[in-house]
Amino acid sequence: MTAFVLVPGAGGAASYWQLLVPELERRGQRALAVGLPAADPAAGLAAYADTVVGTVRTALGEEPDPVVLVAQSMGGLTAPLACDRLPVRLLVLLNAMVPCPGEIGGEWWGATGHADPGDPTEAFFHDVPAAVAARVQSEPFAQTGRPFEDPWPLEHWPDVPTRVLAGRDDRFFPIGFQRRVARDRLGLPVDEVPGGHLVALSRPVELAERLVAYLGD
């Protein structure tokens, strides 16, 4: 059994992973959905990384077996910061931001050439089942700008195996954009799964199958 540590994107809600957790457990794995302090105006990237590490140690002990870190969207700024504090078997960037050393999060959009996708509801929820989308959208959402003010503190990408996984129907981070960013910043190819930006809500079965398959690579 491997523990998958699931780091959410903007809003920091552990509930983003509500459909993926049981799918991973059905496949004999453990899943830890992290909730980040997204509503705290004083919490920057260091606090986010502390939360990831604290969640793992609380659930698995001070010396856990190697885990798989899965970072969704904005979680790409956070998860790599935990890699020198936890035993990490694999880091999976899922429709994720890929920062460069010293880069300020708020400048990432311009530096990568990210294009405005238009209507954010359409960009995020176009392929999420209506009942799931309604439930998620009824939950409170808060995300301060504080983490986007921090320079990304690592001097280089962590020395752990890394995979870039993208929803081929993502309208917020289109697949071509993700391929270019992964190539330019990490020198890595992009693996694909069906689904959009919120793939854990729209295609949890396919996502779980792909994540578990990584364990055999």
Side-chain angles (χ1 to χ4, degrees), residues 77 93 95-100 103 108-115 157 164 166 172-190:
L77 302 180
L93 300 173
N95 293 330
M97 298 175 72
V98 180
C100 287
E103 183 174 65
W108 181 89
W109 313 92
T112 59
H114 179 263
W157 196 256
V164 182
F172 188 64
F173 291 168
I175 187 69
F177 169 78
Q178 294 201 56
R179 288 196 189 104
R180 176 172 57 78
V181 171
R183 180 191 65 237
D184 293 350
R185 296 190 163 210
L186 298 176
L188 291 176
V190 170

Coordinates of all heavy atoms in Angstrom, one line a residue, residues 77 93 95-100 103 108-115 157 164 166 172-190:
L77 N 3.1 24.9 -6.9 CA 4.0 25.8 -6.2 C 4.4 25.2 -4.8 O 5.4 25.6 -4.3 CB 3.3 27.2 -6.0 CG 2.9 27.9 -7.2 CD1 2.3 29.3 -6.8 CD2 4.0 28.2 -8.2
L93 N 2.7 16.2 -11.1 CA 2.1 17.5 -11.3 C 0.9 17.4 -12.2 O 1.0 17.0 -13.4 CB 3.2 18.4 -12.0 CG 4.5 18.6 -11.3 CD1 5.5 19.3 -12.2 CD2 4.2 19.3 -10.0
N95 N -2.1 19.0 -14.0 CA -2.6 20.3 -14.5 C -2.0 21.4 -13.6 O -2.7 22.3 -13.2 CB -4.1 20.4 -14.5 CG -4.8 19.4 -15.4 OD1 -4.3 19.1 -16.5 ND2 -6.0 19.0 -15.1
A96 N -0.7 21.4 -13.4 CA -0.1 22.1 -12.3 C 0.8 23.3 -12.9 O 1.3 23.2 -13.9 CB 0.7 21.2 -11.4
M97 N 0.9 24.3 -12.0 CA 1.8 25.4 -12.2 C 3.2 24.8 -12.0 O 3.4 24.0 -11.1 CB 1.6 26.5 -11.2 CG 0.2 27.2 -11.4 SD -0.1 28.5 -10.2 CE 1.0 29.8 -10.7
V98 N 4.2 25.1 -12.9 CA 5.6 24.7 -12.7 C 6.4 25.9 -12.5 O 6.7 26.7 -13.5 CB 6.0 23.9 -14.0 CG1 7.5 23.5 -13.8 CG2 5.1 22.7 -14.2
P99 N 6.9 26.2 -11.3 CA 7.7 27.4 -11.1 C 9.1 27.3 -11.4 O 9.7 26.1 -11.5 CB 7.4 27.6 -9.6 CG 7.3 26.2 -9.0 CD 6.6 25.4 -10.1
C100 N 9.8 28.4 -11.6 CA 11.3 28.4 -11.7 C 11.8 29.0 -10.4 O 11.2 29.8 -9.7 CB 11.7 29.3 -12.8 SG 11.4 28.6 -14.5
E103 N 11.2 32.7 -8.9 CA 10.0 33.3 -9.6 C 8.9 33.6 -8.6 O 8.5 32.8 -7.8 CB 9.5 32.3 -10.7 CG 8.4 32.9 -11.5 CD 8.0 31.9 -12.6 OE1 7.6 30.8 -12.4 OE2 8.3 32.3 -13.8
W108 N 4.1 34.4 -12.6 CA 4.2 33.1 -13.4 C 3.3 33.2 -14.7 O 3.7 32.7 -15.7 CB 3.7 32.0 -12.5 CG 3.7 30.6 -13.1 CD1 4.7 29.7 -13.1 CD2 2.6 30.0 -13.8 NE1 4.4 28.6 -13.8 CE2 3.1 28.7 -14.2 CE3 1.3 30.4 -14.2 CZ2 2.3 27.8 -14.9 CZ3 0.5 29.5 -14.9 CH2 1.0 28.2 -15.3
W109 N 2.2 33.8 -14.6 CA 1.3 33.9 -15.7 C 1.9 34.5 -16.9 O 1.8 34.0 -18.0 CB 0.0 34.6 -15.3 CG -0.5 34.1 -13.9 CD1 -0.3 34.6 -12.7 CD2 -1.3 32.9 -13.7 NE1 -0.8 33.8 -11.7 CE2 -1.5 32.8 -12.3 CE3 -1.9 31.9 -14.5 CZ2 -2.2 31.7 -11.7 CZ3 -2.6 30.9 -14.0 CH2 -2.8 30.8 -12.6
G110 N 2.5 35.7 -16.7 CA 3.1 36.4 -17.8 C 4.3 35.7 -18.3 O 4.6 35.6 -19.5
A111 N 5.1 35.1 -17.3 CA 6.4 34.5 -17.7 C 6.1 33.3 -18.6 O 6.9 32.9 -19.4 CB 7.1 34.1 -16.5
T112 N 5.0 32.6 -18.4 CA 4.7 31.4 -19.1 C 3.9 31.7 -20.4 O 3.6 30.8 -21.2 CB 4.0 30.3 -18.3 OG1 2.7 30.9 -17.8 CG2 4.8 29.9 -17.1
G113 N 3.4 32.9 -20.5 CA 2.5 33.2 -21.6 C 1.1 32.6 -21.5 O 0.5 32.3 -22.5
H114 N 0.7 32.5 -20.3 CA -0.7 31.9 -20.1 C -1.7 32.9 -20.6 O -1.7 34.1 -20.4 CB -0.9 31.7 -18.6 CG -2.3 31.1 -18.3 ND1 -3.3 31.9 -17.9 CD2 -2.7 29.8 -18.3 CE1 -4.4 31.1 -17.7 NE2 -4.1 29.9 -17.9
A115 N -2.7 32.3 -21.3 CA -3.7 33.1 -21.9 C -5.0 33.1 -21.1 O -5.3 32.0 -20.5 CB -4.0 32.7 -23.4
W157 N 14.9 22.3 -9.1 CA 13.8 21.3 -8.9 C 14.2 20.2 -8.0 O 15.4 19.8 -8.0 CB 13.4 20.7 -10.3 CG 12.0 20.1 -10.2 CD1 11.7 18.8 -10.2 CD2 10.7 20.8 -10.1 NE1 10.4 18.6 -10.1 CE2 9.7 19.8 -10.1 CE3 10.4 22.1 -10.1 CZ2 8.4 20.1 -10.0 CZ3 9.0 22.4 -10.0 CH2 8.0 21.4 -9.9
V164 N 4.6 14.7 -15.2 CA 3.6 15.8 -15.5 C 2.4 15.1 -16.2 O 2.5 14.4 -17.2 CB 4.2 16.8 -16.5 CG1 3.2 17.9 -16.8 CG2 5.5 17.4 -15.9
A166 N -1.6 15.7 -17.5 CA -2.5 16.8 -17.9 C -3.8 16.2 -18.4 O -3.8 15.2 -19.1 CB -1.9 17.6 -19.0
F172 N -8.3 25.6 -19.0 CA -7.6 26.7 -18.2 C -6.1 26.6 -18.5 O -5.5 27.6 -18.7 CB -7.9 26.5 -16.7 CG -7.4 27.6 -15.9 CD1 -7.9 28.9 -16.0 CD2 -6.4 27.4 -14.9 CE1 -7.4 29.9 -15.2 CE2 -6.0 28.4 -14.1 CZ -6.4 29.7 -14.3
F173 N -5.6 25.4 -18.4 CA -4.2 25.2 -18.8 C -4.3 24.2 -20.0 O -4.1 23.0 -19.8 CB -3.4 24.5 -17.7 CG -3.1 25.4 -16.5 CD1 -2.5 24.9 -15.4 CD2 -3.3 26.8 -16.6 CE1 -2.2 25.7 -14.3 CE2 -3.0 27.6 -15.5 CZ -2.5 27.0 -14.3
P174 N -4.5 24.7 -21.2 CA -4.6 23.8 -22.4 C -3.4 22.8 -22.5 O -2.3 23.2 -22.1 CB -4.7 24.7 -23.6 CG -5.3 26.0 -22.9 CD -4.6 26.1 -21.6
I175 N -3.6 21.7 -23.2 CA -2.6 20.7 -23.2 C -1.4 21.2 -23.9 O -0.2 20.9 -23.5 CB -3.2 19.4 -23.9 CG1 -2.2 18.2 -23.8 CG2 -3.6 19.7 -25.3 CD1 -2.0 17.7 -22.4
G176 N -1.5 22.0 -25.0 CA -0.4 22.5 -25.7 C 0.5 23.4 -24.8 O 1.7 23.4 -24.8
F177 N -0.2 24.2 -24.0 CA 0.5 25.1 -23.0 C 1.2 24.3 -22.0 O 2.4 24.5 -21.7 CB -0.6 26.0 -22.3 CG -0.1 26.7 -21.1 CD1 0.6 27.9 -21.3 CD2 -0.4 26.3 -19.8 CE1 1.1 28.6 -20.2 CE2 0.1 27.0 -18.7 CZ 0.8 28.2 -18.9
Q178 N 0.6 23.2 -21.5 CA 1.3 22.4 -20.5 C 2.5 21.7 -21.1 O 3.5 21.5 -20.4 CB 0.3 21.4 -19.9 CG -0.8 22.0 -19.1 CD -1.5 21.1 -18.1 OE1 -0.8 20.5 -17.3 NE2 -2.8 20.9 -18.2
R179 N 2.3 21.2 -22.3 CA 3.5 20.6 -22.9 C 4.7 21.5 -23.0 O 5.8 21.1 -22.8 CB 3.1 20.1 -24.3 CG 2.2 18.8 -24.4 CD 2.2 18.2 -25.7 NE 1.2 17.2 -25.9 CZ 0.1 17.4 -26.5 NH1 -0.2 18.5 -27.1 NH2 -0.8 16.4 -26.6
R180 N 4.4 22.7 -23.4 CA 5.5 23.7 -23.6 C 6.1 24.1 -22.3 O 7.4 24.1 -22.2 CB 4.9 25.0 -24.3 CG 6.0 26.1 -24.4 CD 5.5 27.2 -25.2 NE 4.2 27.8 -24.7 CZ 4.1 28.7 -23.7 NH1 5.2 29.0 -23.0 NH2 3.0 29.2 -23.3
V181 N 5.3 24.3 -21.2 CA 5.9 24.6 -19.9 C 6.7 23.5 -19.4 O 7.8 23.7 -18.8 CB 4.7 25.0 -19.0 CG1 5.3 25.2 -17.6 CG2 4.1 26.3 -19.4
A182 N 6.2 22.3 -19.5 CA 6.9 21.1 -19.0 C 8.2 20.9 -19.7 O 9.2 20.6 -19.1 CB 6.0 19.9 -19.1
R183 N 8.2 21.1 -21.0 CA 9.4 21.0 -21.8 C 10.4 22.0 -21.4 O 11.6 21.8 -21.2 CB 9.1 21.0 -23.3 CG 10.3 20.9 -24.2 CD 10.0 21.2 -25.6 NE 9.6 22.6 -25.8 CZ 8.5 23.1 -26.3 NH1 7.5 22.2 -26.7 NH2 8.2 24.4 -26.4
D184 N 10.0 23.3 -21.4 CA 10.9 24.4 -21.2 C 11.5 24.5 -19.8 O 12.6 24.8 -19.6 CB 10.2 25.7 -21.5 CG 9.9 25.9 -23.0 OD1 10.3 25.1 -23.8 OD2 9.1 26.8 -23.3
R185 N 10.6 24.1 -18.8 CA 11.0 24.3 -17.4 C 11.6 23.0 -16.8 O 12.4 23.1 -15.8 CB 9.9 24.8 -16.6 CG 9.5 26.2 -17.1 CD 8.5 26.9 -16.2 NE 8.5 28.4 -16.5 CZ 8.2 29.3 -15.7 NH1 7.9 29.0 -14.4 NH2 8.3 30.6 -16.0
L186 N 11.1 21.8 -17.2 CA 11.6 20.6 -16.6 C 12.2 19.6 -17.6 O 12.8 18.6 -17.2 CB 10.4 19.9 -15.9 CG 9.7 20.6 -14.8 CD1 8.5 19.8 -14.3 CD2 10.6 20.9 -13.6
G187 N 12.1 19.9 -18.9 CA 12.6 19.0 -19.8 C 11.9 17.6 -19.8 O 12.5 16.6 -20.2
L188 N 10.6 17.7 -19.5 CA 9.8 16.5 -19.3 C 8.6 16.4 -20.3 O 8.1 17.5 -20.7 CB 9.2 16.4 -17.9 CG 10.2 16.1 -16.8 CD1 9.5 16.1 -15.5 CD2 10.9 14.8 -17.0
P189 N 8.2 15.2 -20.8 CA 7.0 15.1 -21.6 C 5.8 15.2 -20.7 O 5.9 15.2 -19.5 CB 7.2 13.7 -22.2 CG 7.9 12.9 -21.1 CD 8.9 13.9 -20.5
V190 N 4.6 15.2 -21.3 CA 3.4 15.3 -20.6 C 2.6 14.0 -20.9 O 2.4 13.6 -22.0 CB 2.5 16.5 -21.0 CG1 1.1 16.5 -20.5 CG2 3.2 17.8 -20.6

